[in-house]
Amino acid sequence: MIKIFSEKKQERNLFRDLAIIIFSIVIAVLLVKSNVLSGLLILTGGMAAVSSFISGIFFVSIFTTAPATVVLGEIARVNSIFMVALFGSLGSVVGDLLIFRFVKDHLSEDFVFLIKKSGLKRFTAIFKTRAFHWLFAFLGALVVASPLPDELAMSMMGLAKVKTSIIIPLSFALNFFGILIVGLIARAI
C-alpha cells in the first residue's frame, strides 16, 4: 500500500515538474519574442552594472541565452569588460541557483523514478557511487564553462548532489570567464 502511494505521489510530482518546465518554456519564448529583455535594459537607463546583472540572469538559460549574450556584448563594447563580466556573472549565479533549486529537489527524483519505472533498477545503483558523483559534477562544470545551456549542467550537478556552497563560486567563476570572452569578442568585431 505504501509503495503504491509513493508511486502515485512520484507520478504527480513528475507531471507537476513537466507542467512547470512547459510553462517556463512558454514564458521564455514570450520574453524573447516580445523583446522584453531589450525593453528591460532600456528601462535601466544605460546603467551598465544593472543591465549586466539582469542580462546575466538570462545568460544561463537555453531559451534566453542568445539575446542576453548580444546585450552583454553590446554593454561590453562601451563599458569596462571586467565590470560587465563581474555583474553579469553575479546575475548568472542567480539564474543558475534558480535552475539548480528546481533541478536538485525535483528533476533528479523524477529521473530516478523514470529509470526505476523502465525496469532498469540496477542502473539506479550507479547514482549512489562516488565515481558517479565526481564525474557528473565535473561534466556539469564543463557544461557551465561551455556555450551549452546551464540547465543541462545544473541537472548533472543535481543528480550528483553537489552542494549549493560549491555551485555558487563555481557558477560565478565559469560564467565570469564566459562573459569576459563574450565581451572580448564583441570588442574585436
Side-chain angles (χ1 to χ4, degrees):
M1 181 72 165
I2 292 174
K3 185 177 180 181
I4 293 172
F5 177 73
S6 178
E7 275 190 30
K8 292 289 184 192
K9 181 181 175 189
Q10 198 65 34
E11 285 176 4
R12 278 195 313 270
N13 289 345
L14 179 64
F15 287 120
R16 179 201 63 212
D17 293 345
L18 286 173
I20 290 170
I21 290 169
I22 291 169
F23 179 72
S24 67
I25 290 170
V26 168
I27 294 297
V29 168
L30 289 174
L31 282 173
V32 171
K33 294 286 184 187
S34 67
N35 291 325
V36 169
L37 291 179
S38 301
L40 187 60
L41 295 172
I42 291 169
L43 287 176
T44 62
M47 295 178 358
V50 174
S51 299
S52 297
F53 181 83
I54 293 169
S55 297
I57 293 172
F58 293 104
F59 183 68
V60 298
S61 175
I62 189 172
F63 305 106
T64 56
T65 194
T69 302
V70 170
V71 170
L72 286 166
E74 288 301 312
I75 297 169
R77 288 177 81 162
V78 294
N79 295 286
S80 165
I81 294 174
F82 291 102
M83 186 271 307
V84 172
L86 173 69
F87 286 99
S89 59
L90 288 172
S92 295
V93 169
V94 171
D96 277 342
L97 284 176
L98 290 171
I99 294 168
F100 185 67
R101 286 286 180 209
F102 172 71
V103 169
K104 180 182 173 197
D105 296 336
H106 301 290
L107 213 53
S108 356
E109 292 172 8
D110 295 341
F111 183 71
V112 171
F113 173 72
L114 288 173
I115 294 290
K116 285 181 181 177
K117 248 341 210 183
S118 69
L120 301 171
K121 290 184 181 183
R122 290 184 184 184
F123 189 68
T124 58
I126 293 171
F127 296 124
K128 295 176 181 159
T129 65
R130 192 175 188 126
F132 170 83
H133 289 268
W134 280 103
L135 176 65
F136 261 52
F138 176 74
L139 291 174
L142 287 178
V143 171
V144 169
S146 77
L148 294 171
D150 284 7
E151 287 94 344
L152 178 61
M154 294 302 121
S155 297
M156 291 175 162
M157 291 185 184
L159 284 171
K161 305 287 187 213
V162 176
K163 294 180 182 177
T164 306
S165 61
I166 293 173
I167 294 289
I168 292 171
L170 188 65
S171 171
F172 177 82
L174 295 172
N175 283 306
F176 179 87
F177 290 113
I179 294 170
L180 192 63
I181 290 169
V182 166
L184 290 170
I185 291 170
R187 284 236 176 134
I189 295 177

